[in-house]
Amino acid sequence: MKRIHVMAAVIRNAAGQILIAKRPDDAHQGGLWEFPGGKLETDEDRATGLRRELLEELGISVTQARPLIDIRHDYPDKSVRLDVWLVTGFNGEAHGAEGQPVCWVAPSELGNYSFPAANAPIVQAAQLPERYLITPDMADEGALFAGLEQTLENGIRLVQLRQTQLAEREYRALTERVLARFGERFDWLLKGNEPPEYPGVGWHLTARQLHELGSHGLPPRSSTGWLAASCHNAEELSLAQQLGVDFVTLSPVLPTPSHPDAAGLGWEAAQALIGSINKPVYLLGGMSPERLSEAFDAGAQGIAGIRGLF
Ligand SMILES: Nc1nc2c([nH]c(=O)n2[C@@H]2O[C@H](COP(=O)(O)OP(=O)(O)OP(=O)(O)O)[C@@H](O)[C@H]2O)c(=O)[nH]1
Ligand SMILES: [Mg+2]
């Protein structure tokens, strides 16, 4: 089946809400909610196709957009490539120019709407931020907490508590103190052999855990937070996708101060690997905020970093 290239948009307004539209009952995947967009025409470039579709369907002129997530999905009757961009600037009042119902919803409410099966990773990408901080190992708890306060000021909201110098019991005790102090000001992910039991707190799997769980399946999770995994190659990305994680990190992209001799995947290989998985991917290894636009161009959700973001 020939794959249809579709341009679609996660449109975000100044209040942080996202626009969704209802597909006509008689259309493919009819009656479900969607991110506005449509088929790219022959010889049309991606940005032009996106602008044309949003003008036709919503009556808006896009002024600011960049790639968000690019996925391939095979329906029984149709194969699609959903090339989804994040639109953060536009002129005009968005309305259902083809008579379709549209509404602005908070990212956290997207889960209350029914989308086509292909859309699950798009919804996750719409809810996830551009930067994912992994805490550097710090023996000085005061300095760690001060760094986290600074992280909040820098606008970072997604954080993995990684403290490899600590034994399991100490890590648990630190987790309690961190959650007591910062609680819901961050979206947390924890490390460990069991899924965290704190409501809303996520779990970040190591590549080794991915391989182990690949044969046994995931343990039941009581937590409602994100499920993420560390990947380094095509095999691990594919395992992560099979296990149904919400997002992954892919590393190392560039040599890092801690591993100056490790070559890194490089941008080209990273881009090809991102294209092989239908999940939001954070690039890790030698990343800093100045690299964000390169990461978006490679198809990434954004960047993850230890020293580069702390
Ligand atoms: N626009 C859009 N299409 C989606 C989404 N999710 C998804 O599976 N699709 C599928 O991708 C294809 C998009 O085509 P479309 O129906 O929007 O195309 P279009 O605007 O050019 O419409 P037309 O075929 O009536 O000219 C459909 O098969 C649709 O089911 C989504 O979130 N937004
Ligand atoms: Mg359409």
Side-chain angles (χ1 to χ4, degrees):
M1 218 177 323
K2 189 168 175 291
R3 193 173 294 284
I4 301 164
H5 190 155
V6 176
M7 300 304 306
V10 167
I11 306 168
R12 202 162 65 196
N13 66 16
Q17 295 166 310
I18 289 168
L19 188 79
I20 57 175
K22 201 166 194 179
R23 295 184 64 78
D25 286 331
D26 58 352
H28 183 247
Q29 301 291 305
L32 297 174
W33 291 89
E34 68 164 8
F35 297 103
K39 298 172 199 78
L40 188 65
E41 290 175 358
T42 320
D43 298 330
E44 188 178 41
D45 73 71
R46 297 158 74 207
T48 306
L50 184 80
R51 278 199 297 272
R52 177 185 49 72
E53 283 291 340
L54 298 191
L55 188 60
E56 287 171 9
E57 295 193 358
L58 302 170
I60 59 170
S61 310
V62 172
T63 55
Q64 183 109 5
R66 53 111 173 143
L68 178 66
I69 190 167
D70 195 354
I71 61 183
R72 285 156 184 77
H73 186 88
D74 298 321
Y75 290 108
D77 56 340
K78 211 178 233 192
S79 290
V80 291
R81 169 180 174 189
L82 297 175
D83 189 351
V84 186
W85 290 39
L86 178 68
V87 172
T88 50
F90 57 89
N91 293 318
E93 191 82 34
H95 61 280
E98 297 174 337
Q100 76 280 33
V102 301
C103 65
W104 290 100
V105 302
S108 58
E109 288 165 12
L110 286 171
N112 302 335
Y113 295 83
S114 296
F115 290 92
N119 283 43
I122 308 175
V123 169
Q124 289 161 337
Q127 293 171 330
L128 284 165
E130 299 174 353
R131 292 171 296 172
Y132 177 29
L133 170 71
I134 300 169
T135 59
D137 291 346
M138 290 174 85
D140 179 346
E141 194 169 311
L144 174 66
F145 282 23
L148 287 169
E149 291 289 355
Q150 184 60 49
T151 298
L152 274 173
E153 263 174 51
N154 294 344
I156 295 181
R157 289 292 172 273
L158 187 67
V159 180
Q160 175 196 124
L161 186 66
R162 178 176 185 268
Q163 296 292 290
T164 60
Q165 82 283 11
L166 297 182
E168 198 177 321
R169 267 182 60 178
E170 297 170 313
Y171 179 79
R172 275 174 170 269
L174 175 69
T175 300
E176 299 277 346
R177 293 193 292 276
V178 165
L179 292 179
R181 166 126 171 210
F182 293 96
E184 292 172 1
R185 293 193 284 162
F186 287 116
D187 282 342
W188 288 103
L189 287 96
L190 300 180
K191 310 279 287 189
N193 289 323
E194 300 293 327
E197 283 171 7
Y198 309 97
V201 171
W203 191 24
H204 189 112
L205 304 169
T206 63
R208 175 199 281 251
Q209 285 177 309
L210 258 189
H211 287 281
E212 286 165 4
L213 296 172
S215 42
H216 300 115
L218 283 174
R221 307 177 66 224
S222 52
S223 127
T224 47
W226 294 110
L227 178 65
S230 297
C231 298
H232 310 95
N233 52 45
E235 186 202 359
E236 290 170 1
L237 288 170
S238 152
L239 263 175
Q241 179 149 301
Q242 282 166 38
L243 276 176
V245 308
D246 299 317
F247 69 87
V248 300
T249 57
L250 176 63
S251 67
V253 180
L254 303 176
T256 62
S258 51
H259 304 89
D261 301 327
L265 296 161
W267 288 104
E268 226 171 285
Q271 177 161 6
L273 286 168
I274 293 170
S276 73
I277 180 183
N278 288 339
K279 296 284 173 188
V281 177
Y282 288 95
L283 294 177
L284 171 65
M287 294 295 117
S288 56
E290 307 81 69
R291 300 285 192 181
L292 260 176
S293 67
E294 281 167 281
F296 297 144
D297 287 343
Q301 175 76 24
I303 57 167
I306 303 178
R307 286 291 170 191
L309 290 183
F310 196 66

